[in-house]
Amino acid sequence: MAVDVERMRHSSAHVLAEAVLKLFPGTKVGIGPAIDDGFYYDFLFPTPITNEDLPAIEKEMRRIIAGNHPFVRREVSKEEARKLFADQPFKLELIEGLEEGTISVYEQDGFIDLCRGPHVETTRDIRPDAFKLRTIAGAYWRGDEKRPMLTRIYAYAFASKAELEAHLKMLEEAERRDNRKLGKELDLFSTHEEAGPGLIYWHPKGGRFRVELEKWWRDEHFKNGYEILFTPHIGKSWLWETSGHLGFYKGNMYSPMTIDEEDYYIKPMNCPFHIMIYKNSTHSYRDLPLRWAELGTVYRYERSGVLHGLMRVRGFTQDDAHIICTPEQIEDEIAEVLRFSLAMWKTLGFKEIKAYLATRPQDSVGEPARWDQALESLRKAVEKEGLAYEVDEGGGAFYGPKIDLKIKDAIGREWQMTTIQFDFNLPERFDMTYTDKDGQLKRPYMVHRALLGSIERFFGVFIEHYAGAFPLWLCPEQVAVIPVAPTFSDYAKKIADELKKRDIRVKAMLSDERMNAKIRDAQNQKIPYMLVVGQKEMEENQVSIRYRDGRQENGVSFERFVGQVLDKIATKALDL
RNA sequence: GCCGGGAUAGCUCAUUUGGCAGAGCGGCGCACUCGUAAUGCGCAGGUGUCGGGUUCGAUUCCCGAUCCCGGCUCCA
């Protein structure tokens, strides 16, 4: 089934190319593969086109599809292929990269494309109501920014109209949850172009969320055997030369500032600082493992076109940690980090998690034997937790293998969050050692890990996962007290004060607006509990609860409500 | 950084051959005193992102910059 959709998408791409060549003669064609939700095709147009041209192209595609043209495969020699695509420079380049005897072309309705296949039988196998041209975008030929920029036409395509519609609905939902939109509506954060793009300003409500999150994060780390470090934001070039960052990471670092004729760099990573602390004294095998964590704020240069709300920024706080241990300890340590991470995601309400194991790339440092051991410990840990995983061959960093965890959000999108990375590089470069049982100085293992990834990005994903309706314990405002009329403001205020004393975040809505307006406001702010109070409640020391989800419960004793809320907060309940 | 599209009040958006810039929400004021998603009336709020150019005259046309959006590339 999945294969069929993919075939259909790929065949649709051919139809798109045919339509484009018909409507815009002289266009040069690039490649047109199937992608997760449809397909695309890259073109070099004689004159630029715009989104307004898409309907005409789509119409032409439908016409072609209706013609019921078979897709005919033919194997050709390299020589023949060159002749067939004599006026298509991109195809000629592709042909040069192919081996004689493996070259095939597909033809439908007189349009021939270089293609491995497979394809559907005829154009009729493409559902004309299950695809939709989406947008045009620039894309470099073969993804290389030094090569020509082509015009890519994207399309959604599915096996049925219903699936297309479901997908469009998901996209609409994603738009509704967009962290940039909700960040504004819920007054959580902002960015300021005049003060620097890609830098996040946390407003009081975002700040409240963050403080609660970090409080929990710290507690959990202490419980799990970590100590917490604080390190500087800048360091002299010596540090970055030693670490190698000035060699391989300079493109992402900001220009240095000069202090007393020395160059200082603002940190793009925390690791060198943690190592300084390690090297502040000698270490015995008895001291290990060390688990050192820091909510470390780093700054990285990101090219202007890639910044995106909270998801991609230039300054962010990693929930970073470094584990320094002996080779014998490494397996347990990895398993422990993974278990810890999964426990955190569970508390935060994310259930579907997938692991990606990245192995040794072409260029790498460290002995292969250590890589193998490290990889094995990663694999064992993943298997022990019963996680589904994929292996990304050669996808590791040059300094070590890693596990990345991708979490699935409420509308099915995957986000890479947790990363656990071995580092065979820094311990060497900084000459980190410990004294082993036998009195010999040995090199410890070092693992970098970030569980949430970065606080900013995590906040973005969290906002979108919950569509702004956070679990109670992380809500900036947990309770809104709404008097039915100004007469009951005093009682509302008393209730609010009482809740405040119990550390519940409450807002008494005492303006002279009407009750309905306040409810609407509180509802839009996604405040979990609205307490509506009037004559009856005042007389009986009760509250009337309106839940964020619309449920309602009247005549609840105030004490019962307090008990309920405190319990939900204490247990970090995901429901209300 | 590159391709394409944008930038108008705090927010969401109107404003055609180039001729004094408009609404809703929000804010402020006044009135209303209300039982589960918007009470009514009034007032204030703009160097139309910034810098050049064309023109008698530019929010509108042209050029450049900045930032934003969709992609490419990259990535926590």
Side-chain angles (χ1 to χ4, degrees):
Chain A
M1 198 59 177
V3 176
D4 285 347
V5 180
E6 215 174 295
R7 269 187 205 209
M8 220 174 80
R9 285 174 176 151
H10 189 181
S11 300
S12 303
H14 281 224
V15 173
L16 168 60
E18 181 191 336
V20 164
L21 284 181
K22 247 175 215 163
L23 297 173
F24 304 92
T27 299
K28 304 300 175 200
V29 298
I31 56 167
I35 51 176
D36 281 353
D37 58 1
F39 59 91
Y40 69 77
Y41 212 113
D42 288 341
F43 303 99
L44 186 61
F45 287 93
T47 54
I49 66 158
T50 68
N51 281 314
E52 270 88 80
D53 295 309
L54 294 182
I57 298 172
E58 204 172 294
K59 201 173 151 202
E60 179 61 20
M61 286 176 70
R62 298 225 157 79
R63 205 188 59 75
I64 294 165
I65 290 168
N68 198 15
H69 306 289
F71 284 88
V72 181
R73 179 189 171 94
R74 198 146 58 89
E75 313 230 332
V76 297
S77 68
K78 212 162 183 172
E79 195 45 47
E80 199 179 341
R82 284 197 198 102
K83 273 188 197 138
L84 276 172
F85 298 101
D87 61 342
Q88 289 292 350
F90 300 114
K91 294 296 181 191
L92 287 177
E93 187 181 326
L94 292 175
I95 290 165
E96 288 321 305
L98 295 174
E99 274 175 44
E100 188 69 63
T102 65
I103 303 175
S104 60
V105 297
Y106 277 80
E107 176 169 359
Q108 93 275 0
D109 190 21
F111 170 78
I112 302 180
D113 201 355
L114 179 73
C115 185
R116 181 187 303 126
H119 280 281
V120 293
E121 300 270 307
T122 86
T123 56
R124 266 300 178 86
D125 294 329
I126 298 167
R127 297 292 311 266
D129 58 354
F131 83 91
K132 185 176 169 15
L133 295 188
R134 191 204 328 176
T135 184
I136 62 173
Y140 300 106
W141 169 236
R142 307 198 119 178
D144 181 345
E145 61 187 281
K146 293 186 190 68
R147 322 255 347 231
M149 172 71 71
L150 307 183
T151 303
R152 176 170 298 178
I153 298 180
Y154 276 100
Y156 299 122
F158 291 89
S160 67
K161 190 179 178 187
E163 283 171 74
L164 172 66
E165 279 168 359
H167 187 70
L168 295 176
K169 205 158 180 187
M170 189 277 284
L171 292 169
E172 241 173 70
E173 185 59 25
E175 205 172 315
R176 196 176 71 76
R177 292 163 179 258
D178 191 297
N179 72 89
R180 295 162 298 187
K181 185 165 171 276
L182 287 173
K184 228 178 243 180
E185 285 173 12
L186 303 179
D187 197 17
L188 299 170
F189 70 92
S190 58
T191 57
H192 300 269
E193 68 167 274
E194 65 278 32
L199 303 170
I200 304 299
Y201 291 67
W202 294 71
H203 295 198
K205 285 182 194 165
R208 211 29 130 128
F209 168 90
R210 180 164 173 172
V211 166
E212 292 304 319
L213 180 77
E214 291 187 356
K215 238 192 250 175
W216 167 71
W217 185 93
R218 291 196 175 96
D219 286 348
E220 289 299 309
H221 276 74
F222 286 133
K223 278 186 212 160
N224 283 277
Y226 286 79
E227 290 302 328
I228 288 181
L229 309 180
F230 295 87
T231 64
H233 287 73
I234 57 173
K236 265 161 63 168
S237 46
W238 172 84
L239 192 66
W240 308 109
E241 270 156 21
T242 308
S243 70
H245 284 94
L246 283 180
F248 62 80
Y249 206 71
K250 199 166 185 188
N252 284 81
M253 291 171 68
Y254 289 101
S255 312
M257 61 194 103
T258 307
I259 301 171
D260 291 342
E261 292 172 37
E262 294 274 4
D263 281 348
Y264 283 73
Y265 289 85
I266 191 152
K267 67 176 170 185
M269 293 189 192
N270 304 299
C271 14
F273 297 89
H274 289 197
I275 294 172
M276 292 309 289
I277 296 177
Y278 183 82
K279 285 181 62 78
N280 192 52
S281 61
T282 59
H283 295 275
S284 151
Y285 71 95
R286 295 175 207 274
D287 303 334
L288 305 181
L290 290 170
R291 300 173 185 161
W292 284 349
E294 175 176 14
L295 289 165
T297 303
V298 298
Y299 290 85
R300 297 181 186 174
Y301 172 72
E302 297 287 356
R303 296 146 108 197
S304 57
V306 307
L307 302 176
H308 185 92
L310 286 170
M311 304 301 194
R312 192 74 183 276
V313 297
R314 284 182 171 161
F316 57 96
T317 300
Q318 290 182 303
D319 70 319
D320 206 359
H322 296 96
I323 293 163
I324 302 168
C325 66
T326 67
E328 298 75 48
Q329 292 167 331
I330 194 67
E331 204 169 303
D332 286 347
E333 285 303 305
I334 294 290
E336 185 54 27
V337 175
L338 196 60
R339 187 204 56 73
F340 185 23
S341 178
L342 293 174
M344 281 187 106
W345 288 116
K346 192 174 169 202
T347 302
L348 292 166
F350 293 87
K351 292 179 191 79
E352 281 186 73
I353 296 176
K354 202 169 165 191
Y356 292 79
L357 271 187
T359 66
R360 191 150 71 107
Q362 289 289 328
D363 292 318
S364 61
V365 301
E367 308 138 37
R370 292 190 118 196
W371 275 82
D372 292 345
Q373 189 205 354
L375 191 66
E376 205 38 43
S377 61
L378 291 176
R379 187 192 303 274
K380 273 190 188 158
V382 172
E383 280 168 359
K384 188 175 163 197
E385 291 297 330
L387 271 186
Y389 72 95
E390 278 178 26
V391 176
D392 178 8
E393 288 297 342
F398 75 88
Y399 50 78
K402 63 173 180 175
I403 310 181
D404 289 333
L405 298 188
K406 288 193 186 173
I407 62 164
K408 205 175 236 185
D409 74 10
I411 55 173
R413 297 170 302 176
E414 277 195 345
W415 301 91
Q416 199 235 292
M417 307 302 278
T418 298
T419 182
I420 303 171
Q421 311 188 343
F422 271 82
D423 192 329
F424 297 133
N425 185 45
L426 291 179
E428 290 290 334
R429 283 178 166 270
F430 280 94
D431 191 25
M432 293 165 72
T433 56
Y434 68 96
T435 310
D436 206 356
K437 285 177 191 149
D438 56 11
Q440 300 290 308
L441 281 184
K442 293 189 182 161
R443 191 75 75 212
Y445 270 45
M446 180 164 137
V447 172
H448 309 258
R449 53 109 276 202
L451 304 185
L452 304 177
S454 90
I455 304 291
E456 285 75 6
R457 198 172 118 89
F458 166 73
F459 194 25
V461 172
F462 199 72
I463 290 170
E464 300 200 357
H465 179 64
Y466 284 106
F470 305 131
L472 180 65
W473 69 283
L474 286 169
C475 278
E477 293 170 324
Q478 297 167 316
V479 180
V481 188
I482 300 171
V484 302
T487 326
F488 309 107
S489 284
D490 285 347
Y491 180 62
K493 195 162 181 316
K494 199 188 108 194
I495 295 272
D497 288 344
E498 208 52 48
L499 291 170
K500 219 171 277 172
K501 273 187 214 157
R502 324 255 185 127
D503 267 341
I504 292 167
R505 296 187 285 280
V506 58
K507 151 161 113 169
M509 300 179 84
L510 305 179
S511 75
D512 54 7
E513 266 176 308
R514 285 178 134 72
M515 176 195 67
N516 276 330
K518 291 176 188 174
I519 288 174
R520 187 182 139 87
D521 186 31
Q523 197 75 55
N524 285 335
Q525 289 297 308
K526 321 221 187 246
I527 300 175
Y529 304 102
M530 283 151 269
L531 300 183
V532 178
V533 296
Q535 188 69 36
K536 181 165 173 292
E537 289 77 9
M538 189 168 76
E539 280 164 7
E540 310 277 335
N541 198 34
Q542 289 179 342
V543 293
S544 197
I545 309 171
R546 183 192 163 103
Y547 295 83
R548 177 170 64 188
D549 58 20
R551 272 150 60 218
Q552 219 175 296
E553 234 178 304
N554 295 334
V556 177
S557 91
F558 178 65
E559 283 310 319
R560 209 206 88 195
F561 172 73
V562 171
Q564 176 184 334
V565 174
L566 289 178
D567 178 62
K568 296 279 182 190
I569 293 173
T571 58
K572 301 193 164 48
L574 297 173
D575 62 333
L576 297 180

